[in-house]
Amino acid sequence: MRDEFAQKNHLSGQVISHTMLNDYIARNYLSDQLGRFFFQNGPQKVFVSLDSTPWVARIIPDGKGFKLITQRQTQMQPSKALSDERGNIYIVGYLNQTILQDSESPTFVKKELQSIALLHDHDLDRFSEMAKLEEQACSYGGSWEWQGEKLPLDPIHSEELAKQFKFVKQPEPNTL
């Protein structure tokens, strides 16, 4: 969370460690049709600046293997993974999202949409156990196993993520 001082001085801010506040933000984490992510705080929209992607995913063991869970505790169904020039892994897949349809009247729609999530760095070792890597240009490609299915792992440059997956990294409230 970045207060006014942190924003003016381009500082990273502080990690929110209060459990109830994290839960509140997660419950109210939404996007609009322009790809701006925010959380609704009463009538106010608090826009979220994104370092890389709108979602962060964790590989969580369950009784039958693993599942991918976002910071909002939403399950993600992966279709492929991407690897960037810094070694970050991104999971591409479908998840239920709440979208603000019309900024004039608060009409929200829940949809299952394709999106992208940064794989949490605590799960990189587990992902590498699932992957077969091939060195390509400035990154890695290949494939990875997910619940018995072979999925692609393709290289991408991190600067392409927002455009390709239609989200705004630094939203401005009055952007039309």
Side-chain angles (χ1 to χ4, degrees):
M1 179 75 71
R2 295 179 347 150
D3 60 16
E4 190 173 338
F5 179 82
Q7 290 178 41
K8 284 183 182 177
N9 293 287
H10 306 286
L11 300 173
S12 60
Q14 305 221 351
V15 173
I16 301 171
S17 57
H18 191 277
T19 303
M20 289 179 68
L21 180 56
N22 276 327
D23 290 346
Y24 177 80
I25 292 171
R27 274 193 317 274
N28 295 286
Y29 187 65
L30 314 163
S31 67
D32 62 17
Q33 290 185 313
L34 300 175
R36 300 178 301 176
F37 282 77
F38 61 94
F39 65 92
Q40 193 76 37
N41 184 19
Q44 178 184 22
K45 291 179 189 71
V46 179
F47 286 90
V48 177
S49 295
L50 304 170
D51 285 337
S52 62
T53 65
W55 305 98
V56 177
R58 296 293 315 263
I59 299 173
I60 306 295
D62 69 3
K64 300 168 244 162
F66 297 101
K67 58 185 175 180
L68 282 163
I69 301 292
T70 70
Q71 78 273 16
R72 192 174 176 212
Q73 302 304 308
T74 304
Q75 190 165 343
M76 185 175 207
Q77 300 301 323
S79 57
K80 69 179 178 178
L82 302 170
S83 172
D84 74 7
E85 70 281 1
R86 291 177 285 207
N88 292 316
I89 299 294
Y90 304 95
I91 306 297
V92 177
Y94 289 87
L95 58 111
N96 287 317
Q97 299 178 52
T98 304
I99 311 293
L100 176 63
Q101 287 296 105
D102 181 6
S103 60
E104 297 301 316
S105 66
T107 305
F108 296 94
V109 176
K110 289 189 178 198
K111 295 181 178 180
E112 185 174 70
L113 298 171
Q114 184 181 51
S115 194
I116 186 164
L118 173 68
L119 184 64
H120 195 287
D121 59 355
H122 290 180
D123 295 317
L124 291 174
D125 286 341
R126 181 166 282 145
F127 181 85
S128 68
E129 293 168 2
M130 299 173 173
K132 290 184 171 67
L133 302 178
E134 302 165 4
E135 197 167 343
Q136 298 179 0
C138 296
S139 185
Y140 289 95
S143 63
W144 62 298
E145 289 282 326
W146 182 256
Q147 298 179 348
E149 189 176 345
K150 185 177 179 179
L151 300 176
L153 171 62
D154 297 321
I156 192 166
H157 194 280
S158 60
E159 294 298 318
E160 298 173 30
L161 293 169
K163 182 177 180 185
Q164 186 170 337
F165 292 95
K166 299 174 178 43
F167 63 87
V168 179
K169 288 180 74 169
Q170 302 296 320
E172 295 292 328
N174 296 328
T175 303
L176 295 178

